[in-house]
Amino acid sequence: MDVVGSADPFFVATLDDKIKFISSVKSNTLAPVWNERWSVKNVPKHAVLEVSVFDKDEGTPLNDYIGKIKTNIEPGTKDAEIVGPVFKLRRERGTFWLEVESASAEDSDPKAFPYDFNGPIRYSRHTSPTAGVLTNLNEARLYATWKMYLKGIRRIFGEEQQHWNQNYKAAQTIFQGPSSYPVRQGIKTAHDILYSRTTENGFGVIEGVTDIVSILHSGGASRPNQHQSDHQKALSDRVKPAIYTYVIAIDDSSFRFSETGAAFFVDFASKHALHSKCSEHVWYSGEFHPRPKGGWDKFSDDQKDSDVEWEFVIDNNSGTYAPNKELLPKLKELLEYNFPGFTILALDREDEVWWLPTLSFVTHDLSIRNSNEVSRPAANMPLENVK
């Protein structure tokens, strides 16, 4: 790239402005190599692929625009000149190489699901230094957000979206009346902070159950000079028993989540609105928690996480959007389609299964997550002994 000094480049690709792909950020390089894959079904043969390249400015919500390319989707290797802004003296900003592969549409009616994302399932983990300053905490995981791009959403949910709950007072504060505007702006600003793309983000592709388990690990010392007890270090590569708040967003078909009781999130009237960036509609929302099959009381710290059969317990517990419980089977189908091999339990928020003792442990853990010790239950330990 023809850029003065150094750059932290990333790119945004679109097909006919119908579907978008955002790459990872490469640190301090003028010759980035991404090797990232984007598969889309049912693309018209005359579609136009546009790729815009940016330089990520750390600590600001804006990015420097480097230039863009436009090309057709004829299969083969392409090298296109990056054309910069009109007002620049030199508009040639380098060359962008990419490879296009093409195959005949498999759907009998391709027009039913045009521009249909088909993987791979990518994820990004965002840990905002700004949020850490605001909370005076030094543990990145306590204010981390995750985003996973899902496929097959429209095929499974159709056009049935969840509107914000007009009977929920907190949602009325965000979405209803002239006084709601500054509330929304504050939440949107917080969203941009928490989901900002930086060179410190974690990026990857989910190819199996082990990748999901790794994402849910407690994490080690995530910031320099962070103190960890021996117990924390021992559990740093283990799945953390925690509850997560999630939304499945409409604008980019992503599964977004954070720890439900995490610092920085707790002061917001609606964590679901925070994740959705105050969208009036979502595909679905609620809470989930990972656990060993059958519950934490079936687990021992002597077992390796890789030897445990894990499952997602996920629900529709969202006052902001009040998702229709009749769609829980479709939620289960969607997650099983994207995460094959991972057992999914989709339960209504009123389901009495949620109140089993195995979940009570997670609630206990939430109450101590900001302390220096994070415990997991010993096998067969009575819950009243878990502090």
Side-chain angles (χ1 to χ4, degrees):
M1 296 186 305
D2 186 4
V3 178
V4 176
S6 62
D8 298 322
F10 70 97
F11 69 85
V12 178
T14 61
L15 281 166
D16 292 342
D17 289 326
K18 300 292 186 181
I19 187 171
K20 180 169 62 177
F21 174 97
I22 305 178
S23 78
S24 59
V25 181
K26 296 302 179 182
S27 178
N28 192 27
T29 179
L30 297 181
V33 177
W34 281 281
N35 285 331
E36 297 183 14
R37 186 177 181 85
W38 184 32
S39 178
V40 183
K41 287 185 174 181
N42 303 331
V43 179
K45 63 180 180 181
H46 299 301
V48 174
L49 173 65
E50 183 174 302
V51 179
S52 298
V53 184
F54 298 88
D55 176 15
K56 176 62 189 176
D57 279 351
E58 298 290 346
T60 71
L62 302 176
N63 305 298
D64 292 334
Y65 175 64
I66 295 175
K68 68 180 178 181
I69 70 163
K70 281 188 177 182
T71 184
N72 59 42
I73 59 167
E74 290 295 322
T77 302
K78 302 174 185 292
D79 56 336
E81 183 179 281
I82 302 172
V83 179
V86 175
F87 58 84
K88 293 288 187 180
L89 292 177
R90 292 188 58 186
R91 298 190 65 195
E92 300 81 7
R93 310 304 296 273
T95 304
F96 193 97
W97 282 272
L98 70 153
E99 182 176 0
V100 177
E101 299 175 355
S102 179
S104 299
E106 298 176 353
D107 289 350
S108 57
D109 182 12
K111 294 183 179 179
F113 298 102
Y115 305 96
D116 188 28
F117 173 61
N118 191 44
I121 310 303
R122 298 176 300 121
Y123 73 87
S124 56
R125 173 184 169 180
H126 308 256
T127 50
S128 168
T130 305
V133 172
L134 293 174
T135 55
N136 293 317
L137 292 171
N138 207 29
E139 171 52 63
R141 189 182 178 93
L142 292 178
Y143 48 85
T145 55
W146 286 260
K147 182 182 283 192
M148 301 177 182
Y149 296 92
L150 303 183
K151 58 183 181 180
I153 293 180
R154 289 189 182 274
R155 292 175 181 269
I156 294 173
F157 278 105
E159 297 300 324
E160 190 160 0
Q161 303 171 359
Q162 307 303 300
H163 189 270
W164 69 270
N165 183 5
Q166 295 176 332
N167 297 318
Y168 188 54
K169 186 174 181 179
Q172 293 171 3
T173 303
I174 297 168
F175 295 104
Q176 189 170 286
S179 62
S180 65
Y181 177 78
V183 176
R184 285 197 304 277
Q185 292 306 109
I187 294 175
K188 288 179 179 180
T189 299
H191 174 95
D192 290 341
I193 291 172
L194 291 166
Y195 280 97
S196 63
R197 303 183 74 82
T198 73
T199 56
E200 301 300 319
N201 291 160
F203 296 95
V205 173
I206 297 174
E207 298 179 335
V209 173
T210 55
D211 296 318
I212 302 174
V213 171
S214 177
I215 290 171
L216 296 172
H217 280 171
S218 293
S222 51
R223 295 181 69 81
N225 303 317
Q226 177 190 327
H227 169 72
Q228 283 194 306
S229 68
D230 291 339
H231 189 62
Q232 282 177 306
K233 292 176 182 177
L235 298 180
S236 64
D237 61 347
R238 310 301 301 267
V239 170
K240 184 177 183 179
I243 299 177
Y244 296 83
T245 298
Y246 78 91
V247 302
I248 301 178
I250 291 174
D251 61 335
D252 62 358
S253 298
S254 65
F255 181 51
R256 306 171 185 173
F257 59 92
S258 66
E259 288 188 36
T260 297
F264 190 77
F265 300 94
V266 294
D267 292 332
F268 285 90
S270 170
K271 290 180 283 292
H272 290 106
L274 178 63
H275 287 297
S276 74
K277 200 175 179 179
C278 294
S279 173
E280 293 194 354
H281 297 82
V282 297
W283 289 113
Y284 217 75
S285 60
E287 295 181 328
F288 74 86
H289 71 276
R291 71 178 189 184
K293 187 173 183 179
W296 285 101
D297 56 344
K298 306 291 193 298
F299 178 82
S300 168
D301 274 342
D302 295 333
Q303 294 175 274
K304 295 181 179 179
D305 283 0
S306 57
D307 295 334
V308 176
E309 184 176 352
W310 294 94
E311 60 187 12
F312 259 24
V313 182
I314 192 164
D315 75 354
N316 57 345
N317 188 23
S318 169
T320 302
Y321 295 103
N324 182 358
K325 67 179 181 180
E326 301 302 323
L327 295 178
L328 283 167
K330 291 188 176 183
L331 175 66
K332 174 181 170 68
E333 180 184 355
L334 176 69
L335 296 181
E336 288 177 339
Y337 177 56
N338 282 273
F339 309 132
F342 213 108
T343 302
I344 308 295
L345 301 178
L347 305 174
D348 181 45
R349 58 187 174 189
E350 301 297 334
D351 196 313
E352 63 181 10
V353 173
W354 275 106
W355 304 106
L356 288 174
T358 52
L359 187 62
S360 296
F361 162 73
V362 181
T363 304
H364 278 276
D365 177 68
L366 282 171
S367 67
I368 63 169
R369 70 174 66 258
N370 293 340
S371 68
N372 289 328
E373 296 288 337
V374 178
S375 301
R376 291 163 66 137
N380 301 319
M381 178 186 290
L383 284 173
E384 57 266 26
N385 292 336
V386 179
K387 304 297 184 182

